[in-house]
Amino acid sequence: MRTVIAGGHGQIALRLERLLAARGDEVAGIIRKAEQADDLREAGAEPVVLDLESASVDEVAERLRGADAAVFAAGAGPGSGAARKDTVDKAAAVLFADAAVTAGVRRFVIVSSMGADPQHQGDEIFDVYLRAKGEADAYVRGLDALDWTILRPGQLTDDAGTGLVRLEAHTGRGPIPRDDVAAVLAELVDTPATAGLTLELISGPAPVSVAVKSVAGN
């Protein structure tokens, strides 16, 4: 299986790349800076240098051709201003989804955020972020050419993963190690029966594979 990940140098993406490579999958990560390439190679991923804030749909689609799945895990990051929430968290997600459609890649997983809502009120940076993520999610939901799954993790931590999660349409708020988010993403990529679902994720009682099978209806 070949998976292409947008935001390939992100903390969750690097973990996901290691997991996919370890199970024998081909994985490529789209990065903005060439100096990040060695970190991806170390994770077992092929680095693809491309700026999603300036690339065209066709340029991104070219990098996606032949892939079995696409994962959007890019983000403007906590230190960024409102403008980049719009250009990365929203516009780059829309671009990546359109490129997946153009390239004929049906399986599409997007890492969103708990509380993402296009109608979210407020003017703080985090409010802008939640609106941008919500708008991106709404756009992806409207694309019939994609078998999409939207994953909304709770509060991200760098604690060691436990492999035990709660994955449901509505979990309520709670923490989740990035290790466990990556493990869930690896399962979701491989579970097209979760297409059409928007899922919240926090730490919980169920092993990752059991939690994913449960929401997939198995």
Side-chain angles (χ1 to χ4, degrees):
M1 187 166 181
R2 177 173 171 82
T3 300
V4 179
I5 302 168
H9 195 258
Q11 295 185 69
I12 290 170
L14 284 167
R15 288 166 167 85
L16 176 58
E17 286 154 8
R18 286 189 198 98
L19 291 174
L20 295 176
R23 75 183 190 194
D25 287 5
E26 266 187 57
V27 56
I30 295 176
I31 52 175
R32 204 159 49 93
K33 300 174 182 172
E35 56 265 32
Q36 297 170 336
D38 283 346
D39 291 339
L40 269 75
R41 290 189 191 99
E42 196 179 301
E46 167 201 334
V48 176
V49 181
L50 185 68
D51 187 351
L52 294 176
E53 288 178 89
S54 59
S56 69
V57 169
D58 286 340
E59 284 173 323
V60 181
E62 196 54 44
R63 309 312 200 278
L64 279 164
R65 282 189 214 290
D68 300 291
V71 177
F72 186 83
S80 59
R84 291 201 73 228
K85 304 303 182 198
D86 198 57
T87 58
V88 180
D89 293 294
K90 177 188 171 184
V94 166
L95 173 77
F96 197 59
D98 285 343
V101 172
T102 300
V105 180
R106 286 204 66 94
R107 187 70 182 119
F108 191 91
V109 180
I110 183 167
V111 182
S112 182
S113 175
M114 199 171 284
D117 180 355
Q119 305 303 320
H120 182 83
Q121 299 298 306
D123 301 315
E124 299 295 323
I125 293 290
F126 194 64
D127 299 320
V128 175
Y129 168 76
L130 289 177
R131 262 197 307 279
K133 293 299 264 184
E135 287 166 356
D137 292 354
Y139 185 83
V140 168
R141 284 197 193 104
L143 296 174
D144 293 338
L146 294 181
D147 295 329
W148 54 264
T149 303
I150 296 167
L151 183 66
R152 293 178 167 175
Q155 179 197 346
L156 298 170
T157 75
D158 286 325
D159 297 340
T162 64
L164 297 171
V165 300
R166 187 173 169 201
L167 179 69
E168 295 167 18
H170 301 287
T171 60
R173 296 193 174 273
I176 180 78
R178 288 179 173 86
D179 286 352
D180 290 333
V181 177
V184 168
L185 286 169
E187 288 279 337
L188 288 175
V189 160
D190 221 11
T191 314
T194 58
L197 299 179
T198 300
L199 300 166
E200 293 183 351
L201 174 68
I202 58 174
S203 292
V208 166
S209 59
V210 172
V212 172
K213 284 188 177 77
S214 176
V215 294
N218 298 334

